[in-house]
Amino acid sequence: MTVKFKHVRVIHGPNQSKFPTCTSLLVDGGDTVAVVDPGAGPEALRAATADVQVDLVINTHYHFDHISGNYLFPDARVWMNPLEVEAFPNLNRVGEWLGIKEIYGDTGVACWISSVASPHTSQCPFSPCNRHEWWLSTRTPARVYTYDQEWQIGHARVIMVPAPGHTRGFCCPYFPDEGLVYTGDIDLTGFGPWYAGSDGDIAGFIASTRRIAQLDAGWFLTGHQAGMVSRDVFLGRLERFLNVISERQERLVTLLKSGVEPEDIPNYGLLYPPKYQVDPWIAMWERIAVRKHLELLQAPSSLSCPI
Ligand SMILES: [Zn+2]
């Protein structure tokens, strides 16, 4: 849906901004211009910013699909959330948060960093694991914005609302004057919520999503696929989206009851069908997600999180 805002323009990525691209925002505050989460791909980003000088790049979190185009704006200052600012330029931390350290150890992290440092490394089939933009877009140390505080980008006001769960530092830019929230990876996709990095948290994802839904906004823009939706549509689709978590949990319980050993659950694909697990990152995220769902069995009440 196309909606006009005073200071905010939506930059759609190719293929409905499906992962590993995302929908980006151009915030034109008059004397200051920012791009939020430049993951829409070089072509769309260059076209959208052809006539402006981009002063700021703002990242909601450190994931590839939200930072991949940072390097396209070498003259801009990069801003990151307080919990993930170390990602610039310390990819060791990224390797920890994403789950590489948990599954492949310190050697895996070191190997990954040398892979992305080179523009010639061969690519993985289903994830942006070895993309060189990881390296290019994390070279500049970032400045830190403050959560929950009004931030003036020229004449545009934005509040970075923390929404931990997807990652620890993940947040949603809220534009109170526009009545707009950029919900990023609270994206309403049929795949469902993603919390498969070592720093993801299922109960946190649910609680944060419900808080974001309560913001006083008429429009919600997702980072992938759904795009711009009205408040009613967002609220209407939210339960279906969150319910995917319960469906995964129910499937886990069924598999365990049928005699599948916990360590074999990833072979059944709780999040990712086995054919995608030939990709080392997909296999890694499947195992971490299964671990989190197994942990939920110890604390089942955290799934039901009433407003
Ligand atoms: Zn993300």
Side-chain angles (χ1 to χ4, degrees):
M1 185 178 289
T2 308
V3 190
K4 278 240 176 243
F5 296 98
K6 196 168 175 207
H7 296 297
V8 179
R9 261 174 53 207
V10 178
I11 309 170
H12 292 289
N15 198 17
Q16 289 184 297
S17 303
K18 278 185 187 158
F19 180 80
T21 65
C22 82
T23 295
S24 307
L25 292 180
L26 182 73
V27 183
D28 189 342
D31 52 4
T32 310
V33 174
V35 174
V36 178
D37 283 358
E43 204 178 318
L45 288 164
R46 285 196 179 110
T49 58
D51 301 326
V52 290
Q53 166 71 41
V54 175
D55 305 295
L56 280 63
V57 164
I58 300 170
N59 295 131
T60 59
H61 63 305
Y62 68 88
H63 281 164
F64 179 86
D65 46 331
H66 294 257
I67 66 160
S68 63
N70 282 12
Y71 79 98
L72 295 169
F73 306 100
D75 299 326
R77 283 161 289 158
V78 177
W79 292 77
M80 178 50 113
N81 72 60
L83 300 180
E84 294 169 353
V85 69
E86 281 179 79
F88 305 103
N90 188 352
L91 285 175
N92 279 294
R93 300 293 285 148
V94 172
E96 249 172 71
W97 301 332
L98 275 175
I100 303 173
K101 184 171 177 176
E102 180 178 337
I103 302 298
Y104 302 117
D106 287 327
T107 318
V109 174
C111 175
W112 169 63
I113 293 173
S114 63
S115 296
V116 296
S118 161
H120 305 299
T121 307
S122 60
Q123 296 304 306
C124 295
F126 301 116
S127 77
C129 172
N130 285 344
R131 293 272 294 269
H132 187 45
E133 293 98 316
W134 269 120
W135 182 259
L136 297 176
S137 286
T138 53
R139 293 308 86 207
T140 318
R143 300 181 185 205
V144 185
Y145 51 76
T146 308
Y147 288 135
D148 272 335
Q149 198 178 81
E150 198 174 292
W151 186 6
Q152 202 83 35
I153 300 169
H155 298 291
R157 281 198 304 158
V158 63
I159 298 165
M160 305 301 279
V161 182
H166 175 68
T167 71
R168 212 160 60 87
F170 177 71
C171 58
C172 297
Y174 168 49
F175 300 88
D177 300 328
E178 316 269 13
L180 171 69
V181 186
Y182 175 60
T183 66
D185 289 314
I186 300 174
D187 57 16
L188 305 176
T189 56
F191 179 87
W194 196 96
Y195 37 74
S198 289
D199 59 350
D201 180 72
I202 297 176
F205 195 111
I206 297 169
S208 292
T209 299
R210 296 205 190 285
R211 275 195 315 109
I212 292 300
Q214 287 175 346
L215 289 171
D216 182 15
W219 297 100
F220 292 76
L221 175 70
T222 73
H224 305 279
Q225 293 171 260
M228 186 72 72
V229 295
S230 68
R231 174 175 202 84
D232 286 349
V233 171
F234 185 76
L235 296 180
R237 290 176 63 174
L238 207 53
E239 291 313 311
R240 173 77 207 88
F241 176 65
L242 289 178
N243 201 41
V244 173
I245 299 174
S246 306
E247 288 167 7
R248 290 169 181 159
Q249 190 68 4
E250 283 159 21
R251 185 139 174 274
L252 171 72
V253 170
T254 305
L255 286 166
L256 291 171
K257 278 185 180 161
S258 73
V260 176
E261 294 296 332
E263 59 270 27
D264 292 331
I265 297 287
N267 300 332
Y268 293 80
L270 210 54
L271 266 67
Y272 297 100
K275 65 175 178 180
Y276 297 114
Q277 294 183 38
V278 297
D279 184 304
W281 274 18
I282 304 289
M284 164 179 102
W285 289 330
E286 174 69 22
R287 284 173 60 187
I288 294 171
V290 167
R291 169 180 65 75
K292 290 175 198 286
H293 276 275
L294 286 167
E295 285 167 3
L296 266 190
L297 290 175
Q298 316 301 320
S301 61
S302 53
L303 258 192
S304 52
C305 189
I307 294 176

